[in-house]
Structures are given as structure tokens and as C-alpha cells.
Amino acid sequence: HNPGSVFRMQFCYIHDGAGGNNVKSRAERNELYYNWIEGAYYHELELVGPDGGDGGNPRLKREDSDVLGNVFWKKTKPAGDPDYFNVARIGGDGTGESHGRYRFVNNTFLCGARPVFRMFDSLESVEMSNNVFYRIDGNGVQIMRTVEALWTTGAELIAGRNNWIQTGSTQVPAEWTGNIFGDDPGFIDLLHGDVRPAAGSPLVNAGTSSPASSPGYAFPSPLFPPAFTPPEHELPAPGTGAMRPVNGVIDIGAFEFDPSLGVHQSDKPFAFGLAQNYPNPFNPATSVSFVIGHSSLVTLKVYDVLGREVAVLVDEVKAPGEYAVRWDGSQHASGVYFCRMTAGAFVSTRKMVLSR
């Protein structure tokens, strides 16, 4: 409908979509560079065709999307749904088809049980290289759902190279080469949201300088290599974007290893801690993360404002490490609750707000 339209978004912090998708575009070309996108109710990202672009209408111009150097983090589950939603839907949404080419390079995906990519309606090709795929609430990622896709050439055109994939993952495209599988991507401190690679991370110097494309379907005018890194949980001031350092072979993911930063959290001695629940306020469920410094009997309980115990989330011996549990407040009234953790001499309490 608008020939030559370009949607370009960079250096943005998009978070906590209250009832839909965090980012959605129907432009002829999409360029998403160096953004931190998290907490959507449904998809973190939807790149689809214009309204009226299918359903018997004349086919519109092909729409392409270049997605490079971003963090996508699932943090919110739809009400009544036990799983996080898909991270991205590409192709169409039932009212508009892109017939387009999609390129995802050097992104970090932190996802749930559902497939990261939901291919929907008509698209032409997909290429993915140097990405991290890590499931935040279990073992193994579902990479791609293609059953709803309508490929414009009549065949799947999928390419990829040097992606880091959590062990146990499924629906990994057979066309991808150079995959690196592992249990731990070696982030500095995932518990506190630091997903930069630490010393010894398998992401370091593991990327490719030649992202893959399907023969005959190269992405037009791609951006590479990434020159900046995304903001970390905040909106940067204009002109303050952080340059991505150059340290040998390019790393996998949205960040490059910086030797001046700390070591991987798992290489440090743990300290006891209880993090603020997320989301907060919440409806009806929330996640509570905590850290155990040494093997201890741990209790994690929820109390109402009158001090009455309403839930026991943990009551057992825990080994040193990082943990997360989910509390479903659907059987409780709206209001203020307190989550109290005890482990030996350590005691900590967090205030939580259930808001219906």
C-alpha cells in the first residue's frame, strides 16, 4: 500500500506488552537492529504483510525483514496458559501476507516451550546465522514451526550457519550447518539479566563471517557485521549506543566477549539471594528466582498481609545454584503478598502484588 516503505527500529528497549505483541510491522522492508525486546503477552515480534494483501486481493510487492543484533526474551505467559508464547511470527497473520525473505543474524533468543519461530501464511525464504537459542524454563528449544507456512516457491527455503542451540532442542532445520549444541551458553549472569558472553563461553569466536543464504535467494542489502550492541534493560540516551568490540572471530549472539568483564556466574562462589518476582504486579502467575550459596534446607513460602501462610513453593534441601519457581495466584484474592525465603541463617522477604 505504501511502495518503498521502510520500518527501521534500533537501540530501543521494548518491554511488558500488556495484551498483545511487542513489535509488529507490515512495511515493505523491516530493519530491526540492536534492540532489547522482552515481556510480550503474545509474540515479541510480528513481521507480516499489509492488511488486504491476501484473501484474493492482487499480490502486493514482496516484503523483507533484516533482524540483527537483538535480544528477545520471553518473560510473560498469557493468562491461563502454562507456557510462554512463540517469540516471533513471520509471513502473515491471516489478514496480510509478506511473501518475503527473512534474515536473523547475531540475535540472542531466550524462550519457552513453544517454537521460537512461527512461520505463518506466505513467505519466500528464511536465513538464520550466529544466533543463540536458550530455553529459560526447561531443557531444549523448539526452533521452528512450519506447518502453517505457505512457501511462495512451493518448497521450504531455509538456510543457517553457526547457531548455538541448547541440548535437547527439536525442530532444528536440517539445512542449518555448523550448529553448536550445549547445556550452558556461558552468559555472565542470566539470573540478573546479563546475557553477555563470559570468559570460557562457547559463544566466543564461534560465529561465522559469512551468514548463510539459500542459493538464488540472497537477502537484499543485509547489514553485517553488527557494529553495536543492544541496550541492557534501559533506553539509552541519543548518541550513546555501545560499539560492539572486535575480538578475533565474531561471537555468536547479540554481544561480543569483553575481556574486561567478569567471569561466568557459575565459575563464581554463589551467595544466597532472593530476587524480586517477575512480573510484579502479576495476574495470575509470577516467577520467583533465588540463589543458594551452599547445600541447605530451603523454604520459600507465600504469606498474605495478615501473616497467614497461603502457599509453600519450596521446602527441601537444595544444592548450590540458581533456581526459579512459579506461583499461580489464581485461587487467591487480589492484594499484597509476601514471599519469604529461609536457608540456614539467611532470611529474605519480597513484596508481591496480585492484581486482577
Side-chain angles (χ1 to χ4, degrees):
H1 295 300
N2 294 287
S5 63
V6 176
F7 171 67
R8 180 179 296 118
M9 188 176 84
Q10 54 189 6
F11 303 113
C12 291
Y13 173 41
I14 309 294
H15 60 97
D16 302 319
N21 309 298
N22 265 342
V23 178
K24 184 168 186 171
S25 173
R26 301 181 184 272
E28 186 175 310
R29 180 179 172 96
N30 298 296
E31 298 176 350
L32 284 88
Y33 304 140
Y34 321 124
N35 302 287
W36 188 295
I37 303 173
E38 66 176 28
Y41 195 79
Y42 291 124
H43 303 105
E44 303 297 332
L45 181 64
E46 274 208 349
L47 301 173
V48 298
D51 287 324
D54 54 4
N57 290 325
R59 174 170 165 174
L60 301 176
K61 188 174 179 63
R62 192 189 78 211
E63 301 186 342
D64 302 328
S65 297
D66 194 18
V67 183
L68 176 139
N70 305 278
V71 172
F72 298 97
W73 196 331
K74 295 304 303 180
K75 287 192 171 182
T76 302
K77 297 178 181 179
D81 195 327
D83 296 321
Y84 295 98
F85 217 70
N86 311 89
V87 177
R89 178 161 67 171
I90 59 177
D93 64 349
T95 64
E97 301 180 346
S98 72
H99 310 285
R101 300 179 186 180
Y102 291 86
R103 178 178 181 266
F104 291 83
V105 174
N106 279 103
N107 301 286
T108 297
F109 293 94
L110 303 168
C111 46
R114 288 180 175 161
V116 180
F117 299 103
R118 184 183 180 191
M119 315 300 198
F120 197 90
D121 288 346
S122 182
L123 65 161
E124 186 173 85
S125 65
V126 178
E127 56 186 79
M128 301 165 179
S129 297
N130 293 352
N131 300 291
V132 178
F133 297 98
Y134 183 76
R135 182 172 168 184
I136 56 178
D137 64 344
N139 297 317
V141 175
Q142 295 184 63
I143 300 294
M144 193 175 293
R145 174 182 169 89
T146 62
V147 67
E148 299 166 302
L150 302 173
W151 299 89
T152 60
T153 64
E156 293 185 0
L157 293 176
I158 300 174
R161 186 175 294 152
N162 290 52
N163 294 291
W164 188 94
I165 306 167
Q166 189 177 22
T167 300
S169 294
T170 60
Q171 299 176 3
V172 179
E175 298 87 350
W176 285 8
T177 63
N179 298 326
I180 301 171
F181 291 90
D183 296 319
D184 185 352
F187 298 135
I188 287 180
D189 189 356
L190 178 62
L191 180 65
H192 298 101
D194 191 338
V195 297
R196 295 172 294 179
S201 167
L203 309 178
V204 176
N205 293 334
T208 176
S209 60
S210 302
S213 294
S214 295
Y217 294 88
F219 192 90
S221 303
L223 179 63
F224 193 82
F228 294 88
T229 59
E232 298 182 63
H233 306 284
E234 63 181 3
L235 183 65
T240 63
M243 297 287 292
R244 180 168 177 145
V246 178
N247 295 314
V249 177
I250 191 169
D251 294 353
I252 296 175
F255 295 93
E256 194 80 9
F257 171 62
D258 184 343
S260 68
L261 299 177
V263 299
H264 179 32
Q265 183 70 27
S266 65
D267 298 326
K268 301 177 183 178
F270 288 100
F272 287 98
L274 175 63
Q276 183 64 54
N277 63 299
Y278 187 91
N280 191 45
F282 62 97
N283 178 26
T286 188
S287 178
V288 180
S289 299
F290 59 96
V291 181
I292 303 303
H294 54 78
S295 183
S296 304
L297 174 61
V298 179
T299 63
L300 191 65
K301 299 181 179 181
V302 178
Y303 299 87
D304 64 16
V305 291
L306 298 178
R308 296 175 298 194
E309 180 182 299
V310 298
V312 178
L313 305 182
V314 177
D315 186 8
E316 61 184 4
V317 174
K318 289 286 190 182
E322 303 169 356
Y323 300 87
V325 295
R326 182 172 180 267
W327 182 48
D328 187 341
S330 57
Q331 301 303 312
H332 301 280
S334 296
V336 174
Y337 293 85
F338 297 93
C339 184
R340 186 172 187 264
M341 172 183 164
T342 61
F346 175 83
V347 179
S348 183
T349 302
R350 296 285 184 175
K351 179 181 176 181
M352 307 188 298
V353 180
L354 173 58
S355 178
R356 296 189 180 282

